[in-house]
C-alpha cells in the first residue's frame, strides 16, 4: 500500500551549517551547501555524561542496513566521533512470510549489540534509535523490538513513513543545488522508497509540498521477482517488470508533480545512488569524501543502470563498490532510480551519503539546546 500525504509538518529551530559541506562535481558545477534547520521536537533517550562532554547518537535500523552515528556538537554543526554500518537484511523473506525471520533477527541483534557497545564506550548522553519499513510491516515487529531491548538495552522506535521521509529530508537537503526551482528528494531504502517534493529557495528551511512512500525498496523489489539470472532475456524482462511495479506505486505523486517546471533539482540518499556514483567515478573502493555532495549527470546514472541490469550476477559481484553483498540488490535500486528519473527529468542528480541519522542528531541537539 502506498502511503502519502501533503504537506508534512515543518520543523523550526536554528540553522545548522554542518561544517560547510559543499556539493561538488566537474568544473563549473560545484555548489555551496545551504543551512539545515534541525527539527525542534524529537523523542530521545537520556543516558549519561556531563553537559560539557555530551555525545549524541542516532541508530537507523532499516530493512537492509543497521547504521549508527555518534557525534558531538561544534560551532558550525557537529563532529562525527564514531560510525558503524552493517548489512543485516532484516526484511529478507518478509514479503512471503509477513514475519521477520529468526536468522534476520539474529543478524540484527548482533549488529545492534555492536552499536550498544559503542554507545557505552563513547559515553553517549542522548540517543534515538529508529526502525522503519520491515518493522512496520512485520507481524512480529513489536515482539522483535522487545527482544532487542532485552538483549541490547536499545529502545527502538518504529517510526511512520511520514517521519522517515521528514528525517531523511532534514538530514540531507543541505546538499541540494542552489536554485529557485522545485526539488525532489528521495530515499531508496530496503523495504520502501520515500519521495518528497520540496520548495527550497535560498538558505531557508525547505517547505515540504508533497510526498509519497512506496512499498518498494531494494530488498522487497528484488524478492518480488524470481527469474533465471543467467538468462539475458529473463534479466531484461524482470527489470521491465520491476520498473512497471515501481512506476505504478509512484503514480499518485507523479500525477501531482508540477508540469513543465524550470530548473528542477534532484537529490538522492541511499546505497543505490552512492554505489552508482562510485561507478560513475570509477572508484577502486568506496570513498565517502568523494561521493557525499557529488553532482552527477542523470544520463550517466541511467547508462550505469542499464549496464548493471544487463549483467549476470557474477559479473556484478566483481565490480568495485558492489561486491557480493549488494550485487543481487543493486538492480532493483536501478529500477527504482530510473522510475524516479522518468517522473522527475532533472539534468543532474545530487548524491548524499547522509539522511535519517543526521536528521535525528540535529533533532536531539536542538532539543538539548546544543545547536548553534
Amino acid at each position: 500500500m502506498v502511503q502519502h500525504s501533503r504537506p508534512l509538518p515543518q520543523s523550526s529551530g536554528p540553522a545548522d551549517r554542518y561544517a560547510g559541506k559543499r556539493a561538488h562535481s566537474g568544473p563549473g558545477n560545484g555548489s555551496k551547501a545551504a543551512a539545515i534547520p534541525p527539527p525542534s521536537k524529537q523523542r530521545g533517550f537520556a543516558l549519561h555524561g556531563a553537559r560539557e562532554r555530551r555525545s549524541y547518537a542516532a541508530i537507523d535500523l532499516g530493512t537492509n542496513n543497521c547504521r549508527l552515528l555518534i557525534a558531538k556538537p561544534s560551532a558550525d554543526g557537529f563532529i562525527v566521533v564514531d560510525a558503524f554500518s552493517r548489512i543485516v537484511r532484516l526484511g529478507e523473506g518478509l514479503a512471503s512470510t509477513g514475519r521477520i525471520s529468526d536468522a534476520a533477527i539474529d543478524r540484527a541483534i548482533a549488529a545492534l549489540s555492536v552499536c550498544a557497545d559503542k554507545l557505552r564506550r563513547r559515553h553517549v548522553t542522548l540517543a534515538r534509535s529508529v526502525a522503519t519499513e520491515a518493522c512496520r510491516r512485520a507481524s512480529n515487529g513489536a515482539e522483535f523490538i522487545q527482544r532487542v531491548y532485552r538483549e541490547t538495552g536499545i529502545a527502538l522506535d518504529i517510526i511512520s513513513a511520514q517521519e522517515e521521509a521528514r528525517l531523511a529530508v532534514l538530514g540531507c537537503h543541505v546538499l541540494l543545488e542552489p536554485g529557485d526551482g522545485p526539488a525532489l528528494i528521495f530515499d531508496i531504502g530496503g523495504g520502501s522508497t520515500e519521495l518528497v517534493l520540496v520548495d527550497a529557495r535560498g538558505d531557508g528551511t525547505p517547505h515540504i509540498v508533497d510526498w509519497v512512500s512506496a512499498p518498494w525498496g531494494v530488498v522487497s523489489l528484488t524478492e518480488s521477482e524470481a527469474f533465471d539470472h543467467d538468462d539475458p532475456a529473463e534479466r531484461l524482462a524482470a527489470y521491465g517488470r520491476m520498473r512497471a511495479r515501481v512506476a505504478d506505486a509512484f503514480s499518485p505523486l507523479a500525477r501531482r508533480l508540477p508540469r513543465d517546471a524550470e530548473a528542477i533539482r534532484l537529490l538522492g540518499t541511499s546505497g543505490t545512488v552512492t554505489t552508482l556514483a562510485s561507478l560513475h567515478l570509477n572508484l577502486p573502493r568506496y570513498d565517502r569524501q568523494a561521493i557525499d555532495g557529488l553532482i552527477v549527470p542523470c544520463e550517466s546514472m541511467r547508462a550505469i543502470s542499464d549496464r548493471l541490469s544487463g549483467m549476470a550476477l557474477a559479473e556484478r559481484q566483481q565490480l568495485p563498490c558492489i561486491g557480493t553483498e549488494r550485487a543481487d540488490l543493486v538492480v532493483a535500486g536501478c529500477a527504482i532510480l530510473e522510475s524516479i528519473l522518468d517522473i522527475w527529468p532533472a539534468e543532474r542528480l545530487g548524491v548524499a551519503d547522509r539522511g535519517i541519522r543526521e536528521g535525528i542528531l540535529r533533532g536531539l541537539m536542538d532539543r538539548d539546546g546544543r545547536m548553534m
Side-chain angles (χ1 to χ4, degrees):
M1 178 180 179
V2 176
Q3 301 182 54
H4 55 89
S5 174
R6 64 170 112 172
L8 283 172
Q10 299 300 305
S11 65
S12 61
D16 167 29
R17 294 185 293 278
Y18 196 30
K21 176 67 181 180
R22 295 173 181 268
H24 57 281
S25 64
N29 291 325
S31 60
K32 185 176 180 179
I36 297 183
S40 58
K41 294 181 180 179
Q42 290 287 355
R43 174 183 169 192
F45 303 97
L47 300 177
H48 56 78
R51 185 175 180 86
E52 291 75 14
R53 301 191 307 274
R54 284 187 174 179
S55 295
Y56 300 78
I59 295 175
D60 171 19
L61 180 63
T63 303
N64 194 46
N65 288 76
C66 175
R67 298 183 177 95
L68 163 72
L69 204 59
I70 301 175
K72 291 185 177 182
S74 67
D76 53 1
F78 59 76
I79 298 171
V80 174
V81 298
D82 206 346
F84 172 77
S85 179
R86 179 180 293 177
I87 293 177
V88 296
R89 300 209 177 193
L90 187 65
E92 188 174 63
L94 178 61
S96 59
T97 67
R99 294 177 57 84
I100 303 172
S101 70
D102 290 342
I105 288 173
D106 289 343
R107 290 193 298 266
I109 289 179
L112 289 166
S113 295
V114 175
C115 295
D117 182 60
K118 287 179 176 290
L119 295 180
R120 287 187 291 268
R121 289 192 290 107
R122 294 291 185 178
H123 305 295
V124 169
T125 305
L126 198 63
R128 187 185 185 197
S129 306
V130 303
T132 54
E133 185 69 7
C135 290
R136 288 196 292 263
R137 288 192 194 182
S139 61
N140 61 337
E143 177 186 332
F144 165 69
I145 295 298
Q146 292 171 358
R147 180 176 166 186
V148 167
Y149 184 71
R150 287 196 309 269
E151 298 190 21
T152 71
I154 292 174
L156 286 167
D157 179 13
I158 303 177
I159 60 174
S160 67
Q162 182 181 33
E163 173 72 352
E164 184 177 358
R166 186 181 72 86
L167 289 172
V169 169
L170 289 171
C172 76
H173 79 75
V174 66
L175 298 179
L176 270 173
E177 286 191 274
D180 294 328
L184 190 70
I185 298 176
F186 66 89
D187 181 4
I188 302 174
S192 66
T193 295
E194 283 68 47
L195 307 181
V196 186
L197 179 67
V198 299
D199 181 358
R201 304 183 185 188
D203 292 337
T205 305
H207 173 67
I208 298 174
V209 178
D210 205 346
W211 72 287
V212 66
S213 179
W216 299 116
V218 295
V219 175
S220 56
L221 189 59
T222 297
E223 292 188 351
S224 74
E225 285 295 333
F227 62 95
D228 182 358
H229 287 265
D230 293 326
D231 185 330
E234 274 287 292
R235 293 197 297 266
L236 182 62
Y239 190 67
R241 290 192 297 270
M242 286 191 281
R243 289 281 309 274
R245 193 170 284 117
V246 175
D248 181 65
F250 287 166
S251 61
L253 179 65
R255 289 191 292 268
R256 301 193 299 264
L257 290 175
R259 302 295 176 186
D260 303 319
E262 296 183 356
I264 63 176
R265 294 168 287 165
L266 184 64
L267 176 65
T269 169
S270 71
T272 294
V273 294
T274 58
T275 297
L276 268 60
S278 299
L279 294 175
H280 169 75
L281 294 180
N282 294 312
L283 296 180
R285 65 186 63 82
Y286 186 72
D287 180 356
R288 184 182 188 276
Q289 292 298 316
I291 296 301
D292 186 48
L294 185 70
I295 305 296
V296 181
C298 288
E299 283 307 309
S300 176
M301 300 298 261
R302 279 196 185 272
I304 294 169
S305 296
D306 182 66
R307 179 161 63 95
L308 292 176
S309 66
M311 285 183 173
L313 179 62
E315 292 178 288
R316 294 194 300 273
Q317 289 174 337
Q318 300 303 312
L319 293 175
C321 304
I322 294 183
T324 57
E325 286 190 319
R326 294 185 180 275
D328 61 332
L329 302 178
V330 69
V331 171
C334 291
I336 297 169
L337 176 60
E338 285 211 81
S339 297
I340 293 170
L341 297 178
D342 288 344
I343 65 172
W344 195 252
E347 294 183 0
R348 295 175 299 279
L349 168 65
V351 180
D353 186 353
R354 60 177 78 187
I356 291 175
R357 294 174 303 168
E358 287 79 5
I360 290 172
L361 286 173
R362 289 182 175 85
L364 294 178
M365 292 179 189
D366 178 44
R367 167 186 166 172
D368 209 27
R370 303 295 292 178
M371 298 305 298
M372 300 296 180

